Amino acid sequence: MGVTIGDVARRAGVGRGTVSRVLNDRANVDPATRERVLAAIRELDFVPSKTARRLSLRRTQTIAVIIPFLSRPSAFERFRGIEQALASVGYDPIVFNVEDAARREAVFRELPRPERVDGLIIVSLSPHQSELERIERSGLPTVLVDAHHRSLPRVVGNDVLGGQLACQHVIGLGHRRIAFLGDYSRTALAFTSSRLRLAGVRGAAKRAGIRLAPGMVGAGEHSRRAAADVATRLLTSPNPPTAILCASDTQAAGVLEAVGKLGLSVPRDLSVTGYDDLELADHLGLTTIHQPLFESGFRAVERLLALMDGGPAKPLREVQDIRLVVRRSTAAPERSMVTG
Amino acid sequence: MGVTIGDVARRAGVGRGTVSRVLNDRANVDPATRERVLAAIRELDFVPSKTARRLSLRRTQTIAVIIPFLSRPSAFERFRGIEQALASVGYDPIVFNVEDAARREAVFRELPRPERVDGLIIVSLSPHQSELERIERSGLPTVLVDAHHRSLPRVVGNDVLGGQLACQHVIGLGHRRIAFLGDYSRTALAFTSSRLRLAGVRGAAKRAGIRLAPGMVGAGEHSRRAAADVATRLLTSPNPPTAILCASDTQAAGVLEAVGKLGLSVPRDLSVTGYDDLELADHLGLTTIHQPLFESGFRAVERLLALMDGGPAKPLREVQDIRLVVRRSTAAPERSMVTG
DNA sequence: TTGTACGCGTTATCAA
DNA sequence: TTGATAACGCGTACAA
């Protein structure tokens, strides 16, 4: 067990160097001998040792992925993109799933050493100043996904626009009392995206001459359950919204749940929008903002590889397209509620 | 960048071999020199190269984890246990997340070669005969988790007992019309556990002189949504159950959803039990069967390492404790329904 | 107990 | 274009 490059070389009657050249298909090798080598490889069922390759290249062929709440569908989907892109070039991911502040701190403190990984992808966590310093000190090529820092290459969705689109959509339907339901913005794991989406919502509302009352901006943990609670509070307030725009599909699902429990119905009594366009959104008939989650991860890897190749961090900020997907959870408000 | 074992040796004024011996704390090294070496290691902040180590030891220090639906909370929790156990001994996991039959086939076909991984953990997939043959041909030490094959070492929960406990619980409360809601049993990714739990339920019912009518055994995809549909069908049938025992918390959540939509209430109109005791179960106040998911993964790694060390596959079948957790979703049936 | 030399399987360098 | 040879960093006989 364990056929080596030497075995192949002997079989093909060439030197090990030649086999190596064939493997990494470098130009300067005679077509005939290349064919011989390839035949030998097939016959022996040879697979090059990744380990030996790593050692020789002085590269780990491994990249670190820091990603919060990997078990959430949206995070998982982003990771799938990362994984697939890495696999296609023979790289391995090593994932740091962070689920609380302490872990975030720990992960950045013992930041993956260059001798352990060749690069770094950070998903949905916008680095603090101190974290940035650690990253720079590590010297690791780094790409952000769904996170922001003005000095780091990043692949992001247009969250502000997303908020706008959702808001314009319900305004166009005739809504005026609009609420936003997003994440806590002050916790250690706060998602920047929620804040940006809110900004977009505010902007669109303002342009339409609408002001989001302070009570119309709800925040909670990023869970269906918490969202349901917040929604219940919003809907039982004196002057409830006719539309709730959510920072995620998961939270929108919570809103739908709350609406059902209150004996109300969507979209008759309330319009709801989500964000992400998860499978869930389709199931629930949720109007939402579609963003390319898988592709964001995939793209981040492409950019990281280019970076590691010495390429430029050229467009520091790469923005991915999003689009509004209209389903059954939004409609014109009941006339009585508009005037009431 | 990259301080090597040689640097440490020079600094400590010893040979490289000695440093190596200290690193792998072998016995035959003088306490004094060991101290010197350790000091040098600290001062230089030396971390041995995993790659070089792998190459030298001719071990990959990597184990393959085949696991379906990793994004599901229960699978993820099992994986966390695996990951943590591996990390503590310097091993890396390489995960094969399988989400459909084709992928299952592909994963087993190109079964992780021994030159790529040192061992194999298979979660929630009971190998077919052909798969077993591939495993044996690969020569990889293998441990199953939540899966069964009489010739393979495995760490499993007592699913039959779990079904019994749930069933006895509702019988004790006075229920007679009992339904079971589990996974499809004939698909390529069918979970053995669902079938075993049903067997347990059947057994307990039989001992109490109760027969589960054919219509009282529902099966669907393992999702909240599908479970809700099945539950709706059960509950709107001519002679609906007063208790539904589910093969998972996720499915139980679907049942709760359906109950709400039908304008019924739990536990007044229906008792519901889940399985797994996820966080979700606590949120929902779900009576369920607790099983040590994290520990199952952790334990599997321990067993695998022992196996790789040439240890015996001794207790081929290791059963983990489970227990009934009673919450708010179960109660005595309404009298009218008992007699009706 | 300790140091030296060799091997692990690959890539890179350099002559040929 | 090709082959021999020296790294890469560690573990381990073997000799001292």
Side-chain angles (χ1 to χ4, degrees):
Chain A
M1 76 172 107
V3 28
T4 80
I5 207 173
D7 300 331
V8 176
R10 211 168 313 121
R11 173 85 166 218
V14 301
R16 293 196 306 233
T18 304
V19 177
S20 177
R21 278 181 287 255
V22 170
L23 283 174
N24 304 286
D25 46 28
R26 302 175 63 92
N28 47 344
V29 43
D30 186 278
T33 61
R34 147 165 291 143
E35 220 20 84
R36 276 220 314 288
V37 170
L38 287 175
I41 289 177
R42 269 195 308 273
E43 288 161 21
L44 296 176
D45 193 21
F46 165 74
V47 179
S49 156
K50 223 170 188 167
T51 304
R53 191 161 204 281
R54 290 199 232 263
L55 185 60
S56 183
L57 288 174
R58 261 160 304 179
R59 275 192 261 120
T60 63
Q61 307 272 92
T62 295
I63 78 110
V65 181
I66 301 178
I67 183 167
F69 302 112
L70 179 56
S71 55
R72 288 183 191 163
S74 57
F76 198 80
E77 196 58 19
R78 285 203 156 94
F79 178 69
R80 277 194 48 232
I82 293 174
E83 188 183 35
Q84 205 156 109
L86 286 177
S88 71
V89 292
Y91 272 70
D92 290 333
I94 145 169
V95 356
F96 297 83
N97 178 34
V98 2
E99 307 227 344
D100 54 52
R103 172 80 170 151
R104 171 177 187 160
E105 229 258 310
V107 166
F108 276 96
R109 188 155 22 86
E110 317 159 7
L111 197 67
R113 296 160 163 263
E115 47 264 49
R116 304 242 24 223
V117 300
D118 299 335
L120 180 58
I121 292 181
I122 303 175
V123 181
S124 299
L125 288 177
S126 301
H128 307 150
Q129 192 52 35
S130 68
E131 291 171 342
L132 179 74
E133 281 162 19
R134 284 186 188 283
I135 293 170
E136 288 179 337
R137 217 178 313 144
S138 80
L140 285 174
T142 301
V143 173
L144 266 36
V145 181
D146 181 40
H148 304 261
H149 194 291
R150 67 180 185 291
S151 65
L152 253 23
R154 52 202 187 273
V155 178
V156 298
N158 198 333
D159 289 311
V160 174
L161 176 59
Q164 278 177 23
L165 289 179
C167 193
Q168 285 167 0
H169 170 63
V170 295
I171 288 177
L173 290 171
H175 291 269
R176 291 298 174 266
R177 286 205 307 284
I178 299 167
F180 178 83
L181 195 164
D183 298 346
Y184 285 127
S185 58
R186 309 204 41 184
T187 69
L189 265 46
F191 286 179
T192 320
S193 54
S194 178
R195 219 174 50 227
L196 295 176
R197 289 163 197 173
L198 172 55
V201 168
R202 280 218 156 92
K206 189 170 182 180
R207 271 193 298 285
I210 300 174
R211 200 177 76 87
L212 262 65
M216 288 292 107
V217 176
E221 273 181 26
H222 187 105
S223 76
R224 180 189 299 228
R225 169 79 174 184
D229 293 345
V230 173
T232 302
R233 218 170 52 235
L234 285 170
L235 293 172
T236 54
S237 69
N239 201 13
T242 63
I244 300 184
L245 312 178
C246 299
S248 72
D249 287 345
T250 304
Q251 288 163 317
V255 173
L256 259 31
E257 213 169 283
V259 168
K261 285 226 176 78
L262 291 171
L264 303 174
S265 127
V266 167
R268 202 195 51 195
D269 306 313
L270 181 76
S271 282
V272 180
T273 67
Y275 210 109
D276 283 343
D277 196 19
L278 305 178
E279 211 181 333
L280 172 76
D282 192 30
H283 286 337
L284 297 175
L286 197 61
T287 294
T288 192
I289 305 292
H290 176 91
Q291 64 172 339
L293 295 168
F294 181 94
E295 291 78 2
S296 74
F298 200 94
R299 194 56 200 126
V301 169
E302 292 182 333
R303 295 215 49 191
L304 183 61
L305 292 174
L307 220 56
M308 298 187 323
D309 254 20
K314 271 260 293 231
L316 217 48
R317 179 163 170 273
E318 178 170 330
V319 181
Q320 297 196 299
D321 277 347
I322 57 168
R323 65 169 198 278
L324 176 72
V325 177
V326 178
R327 296 201 180 88
R328 307 187 308 271
S329 68
T330 47
E334 291 271 287
R335 186 171 306 263
S336 67
M337 302 195 70
V338 176
T339 58
Chain B
M1 74 171 110
V3 27
T4 80
I5 207 172
D7 300 330
V8 175
R10 211 169 313 121
R11 173 86 165 216
V14 301
R16 295 196 303 233
T18 305
V19 177
S20 176
R21 276 180 286 253
V22 170
L23 283 175
N24 304 288
D25 47 27
R26 301 177 65 91
N28 47 344
V29 44
D30 186 277
T33 61
R34 147 165 291 146
E35 220 21 84
R36 278 219 313 290
V37 171
L38 287 175
I41 288 178
R42 269 194 307 274
E43 289 161 20
L44 296 176
D45 192 22
F46 166 73
V47 179
S49 156
K50 220 169 190 167
T51 303
R53 190 157 205 284
R54 290 198 231 263
L55 186 59
S56 183
L57 288 173
R58 257 163 306 177
R59 273 191 263 122
T60 63
Q61 307 270 93
T62 296
I63 78 108
V65 182
I66 300 179
I67 183 168
F69 302 113
L70 179 55
S71 55
R72 288 183 191 163
S74 56
F76 198 79
E77 196 58 17
R78 285 203 156 93
F79 178 69
R80 277 194 47 233
I82 293 174
E83 188 183 35
Q84 206 156 107
L86 286 178
S88 71
V89 291
Y91 272 69
D92 291 333
I94 145 166
V95 356
F96 296 83
N97 178 32
V98 3
E99 307 228 343
D100 53 52
R103 171 84 170 148
R104 171 176 187 159
E105 228 258 309
V107 166
F108 276 95
R109 187 156 21 86
E110 316 160 8
L111 197 66
R113 295 161 163 262
E115 49 262 45
R116 304 241 25 221
V117 300
D118 300 334
L120 179 58
I121 292 180
I122 303 175
V123 181
S124 299
L125 289 176
S126 300
H128 307 151
Q129 191 53 34
S130 68
E131 290 170 341
L132 179 74
E133 280 162 18
R134 285 187 189 282
I135 292 170
E136 287 180 337
R137 217 179 312 145
S138 79
L140 285 174
T142 301
V143 173
L144 265 34
V145 181
D146 181 40
H148 303 261
H149 195 289
R150 68 180 184 291
S151 66
L152 253 24
R154 51 201 188 273
V155 177
V156 297
N158 197 333
D159 289 311
V160 174
L161 177 59
Q164 277 177 23
L165 289 179
C167 192
Q168 284 166 359
H169 170 62
V170 295
I171 288 176
L173 290 170
H175 290 270
R176 290 299 173 269
R177 286 206 306 284
I178 299 168
F180 178 84
L181 195 164
D183 298 346
Y184 285 127
S185 58
R186 310 205 39 183
T187 70
L189 265 47
F191 287 178
T192 320
S193 53
S194 178
R195 217 175 49 227
L196 294 176
R197 288 162 198 174
L198 171 56
V201 168
R202 280 218 157 93
K206 189 171 185 180
R207 272 194 296 285
I210 299 174
R211 201 177 75 87
L212 263 66
M216 288 291 110
V217 176
E221 274 182 27
H222 186 105
S223 75
R224 182 189 298 229
R225 170 80 176 184
D229 292 346
V230 174
T232 302
R233 217 170 51 236
L234 285 170
L235 293 171
T236 56
S237 69
N239 201 13
T242 63
I244 300 183
L245 313 179
C246 300
S248 73
D249 288 346
T250 304
Q251 288 163 318
V255 173
L256 259 32
E257 214 169 282
V259 169
K261 285 228 175 77
L262 291 172
L264 302 174
S265 129
V266 166
R268 202 195 51 195
D269 305 313
L270 181 76
S271 282
V272 179
T273 67
Y275 210 108
D276 282 344
D277 196 20
L278 305 178
E279 212 181 334
L280 172 75
D282 192 30
H283 286 336
L284 296 175
L286 196 62
T287 294
T288 192
I289 304 291
H290 176 91
Q291 64 171 340
L293 296 168
F294 181 94
E295 291 77 4
S296 73
F298 201 95
R299 196 53 202 128
V301 169
E302 292 183 333
R303 296 216 48 189
L304 182 60
L305 292 175
L307 221 56
M308 298 188 322
D309 256 21
K314 272 257 295 233
L316 218 47
R317 178 162 172 273
E318 178 172 329
V319 180
Q320 298 196 299
D321 276 348
I322 57 170
R323 66 169 197 277
L324 176 73
V325 177
V326 178
R327 296 203 179 88
R328 308 186 306 273
S329 68
T330 47
E334 292 270 289
R335 186 169 308 260
S336 67
M337 302 194 69
V338 176
T339 56

